[in-house]
């Protein structure tokens, strides 16, 4: 069943969603999703290993108090400004349904993460206006003008943006937030921010209209356990807590999140290595033709040479076990682009090899 925004994840068709052949995961490369290429911290794996059987039958702390404290300590945000979610997707759905009405108006960059247009248009049912990127960057100057001349209830800022990977510096975002009316809630999505070494979390300490959505999936290598949080104004957090079911993050999720937040040194090394691997992947793709937009997250956007038909190319790659994300459905100007996630060195060699072979046949 697919009722929402387009996502990667087609690789599950090759493994089988009934999980009976998980061993098949070794024969495919799922570069269509943006999961981390590296394992979670050793501290996470150790914390989950010893109590394994008990983990499955035991209720987690109801409100995730220990996870909230760990977030406070690691990220320097007041506890009263933190709300937990089963991944940031859960928070996006709950927060937008809480903050907005069908009569609301939203301003959303184009292209950006597709879930926003889906939630705003199809779940909340409100008006969504698009703000075109300029040179693949979110145009804060144009956004400022729009928000000062028209009444918008929410502005979405994915930083680094997906699928472009381009980053706005926190100082630019701060100046932008100060220059727009407080009636507009600014939702800053930082799913990939740690790869770029930036965050706007501290902005919420003095702001009534900034919420930062923090996925723990892609940067802490925890996509499978569904853990995330948002930081925002006290009133926002109180409203969200009212709408948070008990045990929202599973026990493995809470334990993993706490351990991951406690190992910043490991993740800093992995982010540095991701940047190196990203440059290597971009270099290899450029040598094959087309153009590559690198950005500062764990993926690259590759504009295929004009003679190649993207849909056919993506299909042929999948037949060879390489799953890529056709970017056409993500937004404007991406008809000829595929998004490829950074992988470990040997997988990237396989990616380049498969892509080269498929290009010859296309
Ligand atoms: C920009 C962005 N935000 C949020 C999410 C949701 O992530 P999760 O629900 O795993 O936290 C994703 C997932 O791909 C994403 O790309």
């Amino acid at each position: 069943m697919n009722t929402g925004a387009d996502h990667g994840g087609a690789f599950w068709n090759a493994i089988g969603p009934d999980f009976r052949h998980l061993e098949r995961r070794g024969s495919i490369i799922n570069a269509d999703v943006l999961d981390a290429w590296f394992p979670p911290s050793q501290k996470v794996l150790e914390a989950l290993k010893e109590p394994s059987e008990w983990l499955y039958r035991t209720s987690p702390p109801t409100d995730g108090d220990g996870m909230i404290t760990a977030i406070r300590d690691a990220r320097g945000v007041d506890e009263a400004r933190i709300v937990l979610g089963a991944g940031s997707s859960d928070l996006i759905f709950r927060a937008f349904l809480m903050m907005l009405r069908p009569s609301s108006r939203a301003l959303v960059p184009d292209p950006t993460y597709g879930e926003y247009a889906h939630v705003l248009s199809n779940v909340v049912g409100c008006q969504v206006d698009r703000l075109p990127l300029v040179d693949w960057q979110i145009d804060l100057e144009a956004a400022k003008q729009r928000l000062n001349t028209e009444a918008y209830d929410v502005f979405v800022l994915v930083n680094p943006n997906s699928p472009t990977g381009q980053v706005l510096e926190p100082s630019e975002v701060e100046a932008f937030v100060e220059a727009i009316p407080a009636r507009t809630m600014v939702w800053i999505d930082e799913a990939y921010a740690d790869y770029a070494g930036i965050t706007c979390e501290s902005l919420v300490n003095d702001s009534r209209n900034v919420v930062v959505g923090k996925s723990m999936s892609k940067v802490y290598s925890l996509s499978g356990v569904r853990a995330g949080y948002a930081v925002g104004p006290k009133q926002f957090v109180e409203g969200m807590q009212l709408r948070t079911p008990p045990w929202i993050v599973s026990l493995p999720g809470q334990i993993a999140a706490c351990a991951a937040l406690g190992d910043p040194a490991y993740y800093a090394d992995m982010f540095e290595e991701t940047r190196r691997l990203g440059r290597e992947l971009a270099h290899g793709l450029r040598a094959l033709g087309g153009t590559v937009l690198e950005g500062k997250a764990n993926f690259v956007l590759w504009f295929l040479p004009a003679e190649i038909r993207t849909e056919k190319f993506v299909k042929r790659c999948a037949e060879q076990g390489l799953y890529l994300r056709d970017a056409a459905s993500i937004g404007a100007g991406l008809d000829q682009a595929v998004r490829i996630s950074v992988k470990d060195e040997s997988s990237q060699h396989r990616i380049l090899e498969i892509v080269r072979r498929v290009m010859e046949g296309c």
Side-chain angles (χ1 to χ4, degrees):
M1 188 173 69
N2 179 8
T3 51
D6 250 14
H7 287 285
F11 72 89
W12 274 109
N13 298 333
I15 295 177
D18 58 4
F19 312 119
R20 284 191 216 153
H21 293 286
L22 287 177
E23 76 285 355
R24 289 181 188 156
R25 70 190 186 280
S27 60
I28 56 114
I29 301 177
N30 62 347
D32 58 333
V33 289
L34 302 179
D35 298 336
W37 61 271
F38 50 84
S41 153
Q42 200 55 36
K43 289 187 182 173
V44 172
L45 302 178
E46 287 297 321
L48 295 174
K49 201 160 128 195
E50 192 274 323
S52 65
E53 170 275 327
W54 178 82
L55 281 181
Y56 300 106
R57 62 182 160 91
T58 303
S59 300
T62 315
D63 302 318
D65 292 342
M67 182 170 158
I68 291 178
T69 307
I71 294 165
R72 177 200 67 190
D73 292 346
R75 312 297 300 196
V77 185
D78 180 2
E79 275 176 79
R81 288 173 175 271
I82 301 168
V83 57
L84 301 183
S88 62
S89 305
D90 164 39
L91 290 157
I92 295 167
F93 275 72
R94 277 192 285 139
F96 283 20
L97 278 170
M98 177 182 80
M99 295 190 298
L100 305 169
R101 305 272 165 281
S103 55
S104 303
R105 289 182 73 197
L107 186 63
V108 179
D110 184 20
T112 197
Y113 180 48
E115 200 67 39
Y116 287 106
H118 164 64
V119 172
L120 290 162
S121 300
N122 306 329
V123 183
V124 175
C126 72
Q127 180 180 329
V128 183
D129 293 343
R130 305 306 298 250
L131 182 79
L133 301 189
V134 172
D135 292 336
W136 301 116
Q137 179 59 284
I138 295 173
D139 186 352
L140 285 187
E141 206 44 51
K144 195 165 80 185
Q145 276 184 15
R146 290 277 287 273
L147 298 174
N148 274 298
T149 49
E150 294 172 65
Y152 282 100
D153 299 285
V154 70
F155 175 58
V156 173
L157 187 64
V158 179
N159 195 28
N161 194 17
S162 171
T164 55
Q166 305 301 298
V167 177
L168 292 163
E169 287 305 317
S171 57
E172 292 176 80
V173 177
E174 187 172 5
F176 163 77
V177 167
E178 280 166 11
I180 60 156
R183 66 178 175 227
T184 306
M185 184 62 82
V186 181
W187 179 276
I188 305 175
D189 179 325
E190 294 197 339
Y192 306 98
D194 295 56
Y195 284 109
I198 54 138
T199 181
C200 289
E201 280 161 283
S202 66
L203 283 191
V204 304
N205 289 327
D206 304 312
S207 173
R208 283 186 297 117
N209 63 328
V210 174
V211 176
V212 183
K214 302 290 295 184
S215 172
M216 298 192 72
S217 300
K218 314 302 194 313
V219 292
Y220 292 109
S221 198
L222 295 179
S223 293
V225 300
R226 313 304 305 139
Y229 65 97
V231 294
K234 282 196 179 120
Q235 212 187 343
F236 165 85
V237 170
E238 282 165 14
M240 285 292 284
Q241 267 157 359
L242 205 60
R243 293 162 175 81
T244 304
W247 317 292
I248 187 78
V249 182
S250 69
L251 184 54
Q254 291 191 32
I255 294 174
C258 289
L261 287 158
D263 198 357
Y266 166 75
Y267 288 102
D269 284 350
M270 291 303 106
F271 301 147
E272 198 179 319
E273 182 61 2
T274 303
R275 286 189 281 277
R276 189 190 70 74
L277 288 164
R279 284 193 297 273
E280 208 169 86
L281 178 61
H283 180 76
L285 293 170
R286 272 193 198 103
L288 295 172
T291 53
V292 180
L293 188 63
E294 263 181 77
K296 290 199 171 167
N298 62 332
F299 50 86
V300 301
L301 195 59
W302 185 28
F303 293 84
L304 298 168
E307 66 276 13
I308 292 185
R309 279 192 31 237
T310 316
E311 209 181 322
K312 184 172 160 200
F313 176 77
V314 168
K315 194 163 166 265
R316 289 267 170 88
C317 287
E319 284 160 10
Q320 306 283 315
L322 170 60
Y323 288 82
L324 305 175
R325 179 74 199 275
D326 184 340
S329 67
I330 304 178
L334 300 176
D335 286 351
Q336 197 61 17
V338 288
R339 194 195 61 196
I340 310 181
S341 57
V342 170
K343 294 285 173 192
D344 62 86
E345 200 145 335
S346 79
S347 299
Q348 292 199 163
H349 286 150
R350 275 171 65 204
I351 290 176
L352 293 171
E353 183 49 33
I354 293 171
V355 158
R356 192 186 54 73
R357 255 189 284 130
V358 171
M359 280 174 93
E360 279 168 9
C362 267

